[in-house]
Amino acid sequence: MITIKSGAEQAKMRKAGRIVADFLKAIEAEVAVGVTTAELDRFAEKFIRSKGGSPAFKGYHGFPATICASVNEEVVHGMPGKRKLEGGDIIGVDVGAIVDGYYADAARTFAVGPISEENDRLLKAARGALNAGIAAVKPGNRISDISHAVQQHIAPYGYGIVRQYVGHGIGTHLHEEPQIPNYGKPNQGAEIKVGMAFAIEPMVNAGTHEVKVLADGWTVVTADGRPSSHFENTVLVTQSGAELITEYA
Ligand code: MG
């Protein structure tokens, strides 16, 4: 069942969303050559707790960290550790925060110093796909209209869209119904209604859409070793479309 959030519930989600947005803005300044993903993770936990939130990923199915840090060929669920960022890398930072039992979840892929034209194009395509998906969030549309919009945006690039991992409903749990794939025919699935909340999150690979999981049991990498980009926002459905509660300027 897809739950409809009351005004009071939406207010709590906005608080969690504000922490996530402020964190993403802050971490962008911490991403630099020589920094390890474990250092970024420590920054993240301190930041979120200092703003009155709790890290949503820490302890989730045993995940040990506050952020997922996915570098280059890592797609999602990258385990923070000793990996040092190098110039030209791209790093996906995915984070969730909980306030009063309500969740927000978002991700950005950042450039580490100047990056190749190929990587820049990949990041812009993935960000554009997120925006396209969000533009399909309207009362009366159906869930797969979001999926289809993401796919249509990526199609001209010839990139691989990850299939095993999908967007999702969100609220009192990190992952709620419905699942929101990043591909599919339009006009399928549940009708989108005011008060629903979604985390929309295209994962776009430069090459094949195929992925595999590393021996740590978490880190998802592209099957061909080519880079991948991930962007995500949590949105509330309003009369006029989507309110982006994890966006920052
Ligand atoms: Mg998510």
Side-chain angles (χ1 to χ4, degrees), residues 57 77 94-95 105-107 166-170 174-175 199-201 203 230 232-234:
F57 298 173
H77 305 166
D94 192 351
V95 70
D105 178 12
V166 299
H168 49 94
I170 181 166
L174 181 58
H175 295 115
I200 300 172
E201 50 175 324
M203 290 145 258
H230 179 212
E232 175 178 27
N233 269 330
T234 295

Side-chain angles (χ1 to χ4, degrees), residues 71-136:
V71 181
N72 295 341
E73 78 287 354
E74 297 172 354
V75 178
V76 285
H77 305 166
M79 178 83 76
K82 290 178 187 160
R83 188 166 181 168
K84 266 190 185 159
L85 299 181
E86 294 178 18
D89 282 351
I90 56 173
I91 177 173
V93 176
D94 192 351
V95 70
I98 314 170
V99 173
D100 294 338
Y102 286 80
Y103 287 71
D105 178 12
R108 296 289 183 276
T109 302
F110 301 114
V112 184
I115 56 173
S116 67
E117 241 174 76
E118 290 86 352
N119 274 347
D120 189 53
R121 190 163 176 267
L122 176 67
L123 263 54
K124 288 192 171 114
R127 175 71 221 207
L130 172 60
N131 294 348
I134 289 168

Side-chain angles (χ1 to χ4, degrees), residues 41-64:
D41 187 63
R42 282 194 289 276
F43 176 90
E45 181 166 5
K46 253 188 221 163
F47 186 97
I48 289 169
R49 293 196 190 282
S50 77
K51 303 288 180 187
S54 315
F57 298 173
K58 199 161 190 167
Y60 186 81
H61 293 288
F63 189 74

Side-chain angles (χ1 to χ4, degrees), residues 112-191:
V112 184
I115 56 173
S116 67
E117 241 174 76
E118 290 86 352
N119 274 347
D120 189 53
R121 190 163 176 267
L122 176 67
L123 263 54
K124 288 192 171 114
R127 175 71 221 207
L130 172 60
N131 294 348
I134 289 168
V137 175
K138 285 184 186 140
N141 275 4
R142 291 184 177 275
I143 293 299
S144 84
D145 292 324
I146 302 168
S147 313
H148 186 67
V150 169
Q151 184 177 26
Q152 290 287 99
H153 185 86
I154 293 301
Y157 292 92
Y159 292 146
I161 300 175
V162 174
R163 291 165 178 266
Q164 281 95 327
Y165 303 91
V166 299
H168 49 94
I170 181 166
T172 51
H173 298 83
L174 181 58
H175 295 115
E176 298 185 357
E177 287 183 47
Q179 294 203 345
I180 309 174
N182 292 302
Y183 60 93
K185 290 182 197 153
N187 201 30
Q188 321 239 318
E191 187 184 329

